[in-house]
Structure formats: structure tokens, C-alpha cells
Amino acid sequence: MEKGGKNFEIDNVDLKILNLLMQDATMAYTEIGKRIFVSGGTVHVRMKKMEDMGIVRGSQLIIDHTKLGWDISAFLGIYLDKSSLYEEVAVQLMKIPEVVNVHYTTGIYSIFAKIVCRDTLHLREVLHDKIQKVTGIQRTETFISLEESVNRPVPFADTNLAEAVDNG
């Protein structure tokens, strides 16, 4: 991959850096370097390269919403009047703070979204007063999550991607 006249490639060292940071985004570059036997400066340069490539798009703080009183996580299957309205509807959904992610999908729904709410009353308000008033949304189906059992990053250094990088 080329960007600005530079040839960027991903190798196993990059994948190891990514895996460590996906497990703990606060890990110091010097600690990462010790664990994978490179210098902290190398880790810094590799991270900058992956940011320039658009592989690393930032980092975020992961919180437990329930400990802050936001007890409801729900998924919405959204039917659109026309699938060509996706971009307009997605822009409107992004303006609703309780909507935490939006996916354009295949299957029976045009959009699958996740929302987080304080309680069922708040969920009703978000659905009735915000989401169902978005122009282009025909109807929605709501699925309340009872428990999230798995939420993890893909372990890139442990997959066939690492093998493909090594062999590429």
C-alpha cells in the first residue's frame, strides 16, 4: 500500500503491537517493545505508520454503562421506505445520542443499530420520540439484550492473516 510516496506494509510485528494494544490500550510503548523484543521507538514508528494507513483510527475508553445507571442495551432492526435512504437515515440516527452504532445490512432489515438507555421508559421515549420520527424509517423491531457474553477484538496475530502477512 502506498501513501505519499511511501510503501506501507503490515508484518507480524505490527500485528503483535495491535494485539497488545487491543488488550490494553494504555500499555506504554516501552512495555510493548519489551514484550515483542523491539524498542519503544520502533513501536511508536509502527503505530504512526498504521495510523497513516487508517488501520488505527484512535482509541476509546470502554465503560460499563450499567454501573452508570444505563441498564438497557437494545438492538434495532430498521426497515427503510427505500434502501437508497440509508445515508440520510444514518445521518439522522447519528444525531440521537443513545444510538451507539449503526450498520447497513443485508437480510430483512436495511439497518441494524444498537442503542443504550437508562431503563424501559427511556427506551420507549427514544424509540417513539426519536427513532420512529426519522424520515425514511418505515418501522423497527427491538431486541433487548439480557446479557453480553462476548465483546472482544479479533486476535489478528493468532489468525490466518498473520500467516498471510508472513507469506505475502
Side-chain angles (χ1 to χ4, degrees):
M1 179 181 289
E2 290 217 11
K3 182 172 179 173
K6 294 180 182 176
N7 187 18
F8 289 132
E9 292 183 10
I10 297 298
D11 64 17
N12 237 348
V13 171
D14 296 320
L15 295 176
K16 288 176 184 176
I17 292 167
L18 291 175
N19 276 332
L20 288 169
L21 286 170
M22 286 187 301
Q23 292 170 24
D24 179 3
T26 64
M27 188 180 297
Y29 289 174
T30 53
E31 177 60 26
I32 294 168
K34 286 179 192 172
R35 291 191 186 192
I36 63 172
F37 308 106
V38 298
S39 72
T42 296
V43 174
H44 177 80
V45 168
R46 297 292 187 107
M47 284 300 297
K48 176 71 173 119
K49 171 187 76 172
M50 290 186 283
E51 289 170 7
D52 290 346
M53 292 174 73
I55 293 169
V56 175
R57 299 184 311 180
S59 61
Q60 50 183 173
L61 184 64
I62 300 169
I63 61 166
D64 184 339
H65 297 97
T66 62
K67 292 191 170 141
L68 294 172
W70 290 63
D71 293 330
I72 303 288
S73 286
F75 298 91
L76 303 178
I78 301 173
Y79 294 89
L80 298 179
D81 291 328
K82 294 183 292 188
S83 62
S84 62
L85 295 173
Y86 168 74
E87 288 185 20
E88 295 169 43
V89 170
V91 166
Q92 293 305 308
L93 290 173
M94 286 185 248
K95 294 177 182 176
I96 301 170
E98 295 86 354
V99 175
V100 295
N101 66 45
V102 174
H103 297 268
Y104 189 31
T105 61
T106 62
I108 61 172
Y109 309 112
S110 297
I111 296 175
F112 207 70
K114 181 178 179 183
I115 62 175
V116 178
C117 299
R118 290 183 300 276
D119 51 36
T120 54
L121 179 61
H122 185 205
L123 173 63
R124 182 189 175 287
E125 290 169 2
V126 170
L127 291 171
H128 182 268
D129 299 338
K130 296 179 181 180
I131 291 173
Q132 292 173 354
K133 290 189 176 174
V134 171
T135 303
I137 291 181
Q138 184 182 83
R139 67 187 174 100
T140 63
E141 291 185 18
T142 305
F143 308 88
I144 295 176
S145 173
L146 300 176
E147 177 181 336
E148 181 179 272
S149 302
V150 177
N151 182 353
R152 63 179 175 215
V154 176
F156 292 111
D158 300 332
T159 66
N160 291 337
L161 176 60
E163 291 172 20
V165 166
D166 284 341
N167 297 331

